[in-house]
Amino acid sequence: MSIYDLTIDELTEYFLKIDEKKYYATELFSWLYAKDKRITSFSEASNIKKETREKLSKDFTISNIEIVTVEKAKDVRKYLFKLNDKEHVEAVLMNHDYGNSLCISSQVGCNMGCKFCESGRRKKVRNLTTGEMVEQIIKVEDESNLRISHVVIMGIGEPFDNYDNICNFIRIINHPKGLNIGARHITVSTCGLVPKILEFANFPYQVNLAISLHAPNDKLRKEIMPIAKVYPLKDLINAIKVYLEKTNRRVTFEYIMLDGVNDKEEHALELVNLLKGINSYVNLIPYNETDALQYKRSKPLTIAKFYDILKKNNITVTIRREFGGTISAACGQLRSKKEDI
Ligand code: SAH
């Protein structure tokens, strides 16, 4: 098992179980996560006694993923990682004026089958472990020499299809002795798994929730997102209302602009109706075209018109700034080039 799988509470439990001092959990967290420490072997944790360090080496591994390649473009880097079972996932680092944001993967492949998404063309092979998600941040910080201040779980995979590991991942990276990334700087994006949205409403961290909406009615949504056949918009919107009531956190709706599919005036008006009275904002995402899929990006003028209709109707709306198109690091393009399918 990876030491990065454990929250500080689980680590405390471990030390108690082996009759050790429980404050070792805090000590070890700082050996693992403090920028100037970052041990690669337990033998380096010098203030933990020798027998305990040896026990730790027997029970846990430290490094479990490695960087295979880094592709760089202006303000963006794409990392390809190899996992212990030789599978690959990707993460994307973006340099914003407000900090450095890392988009991480949560699964190998994805079962949601969104028609427009390149990452989902490969079915889910397995969930990433908590440690494999934590390590994406550690490895990128070490390689880039930058501090990651923001994390978005929007890479390969559906985070709510890997719910427990995602929650532990958040507990670890948010912990002051862990990576100390503010909850408000962490965003989980889901295609809309209703039971998990309801569960997440009780998760006591002030993280951001983004919903991949992409269509203003069930008919269209079902055509491009199979998950809509399981959870119709009515159920999704109801779950979001519960979430809003419990958390008081504004949700983000992501809406990719697909030429001739969901970008007409009537769609914008339908969207206004759907979101009326919901504390939210809409992020319009110019679609990133990929070779294997037939969808096209909406024309800039169409996007601008769509934006204006939302704005005029008092919906808070932004158009997403684009990163990484030239190195296939943009949303929905993440997949290993090694997966030749
Ligand atoms: N499964 C999660 C998170 C991963 S996808 C989810 O569905 O939210 C992250 C975002 O990228 C989603 O909004 C997804 O719909 C969007 N996306 C997928 N393919 C895209 C593409 N080619 N261009 C732009 N956005 C895309």
Side-chain angles (χ1 to χ4, degrees), residues 110 112 114 116-118 153-159 189-192 210-214 225 254 256 285-290 320 330-333:
C110 180
M112 299 302 122
C114 299
F116 47 79
C117 180
E118 176 79 4
I153 310 172
M154 290 193 191
I156 304 165
E158 166 51 47
S189 177
T190 178
C191 64
I211 308 283
S212 297
L213 189 61
H214 306 331
M225 298 178 73
E254 294 159 282
I256 49 178
I285 308 171
Y287 179 65
N288 297 305
E289 296 172 11
T290 69
R320 178 173 290 175
C331 309
Q333 294 183 328

Side-chain angles (χ1 to χ4, degrees), residues 126-160:
R126 66 175 177 88
N127 284 330
L128 292 195
T129 60
T130 299
E132 285 168 331
M133 293 188 274
V134 172
E135 257 193 81
Q136 292 176 53
I137 306 177
I138 303 269
K139 291 289 193 290
V140 168
E141 284 199 336
D142 290 350
E143 190 279 337
S144 64
N145 235 335
L146 295 169
R147 177 171 190 270
I148 302 298
S149 56
H150 293 66
V151 170
V152 297
I153 310 172
M154 290 193 191
I156 304 165
E158 166 51 47
F160 279 175

Side-chain angles (χ1 to χ4, degrees), residues 169-183:
F169 168 73
I170 294 170
R171 290 183 179 102
I172 294 168
I173 67 169
N174 174 248
H175 197 280
K177 293 282 178 194
L179 289 172
N180 198 18
I181 298 172

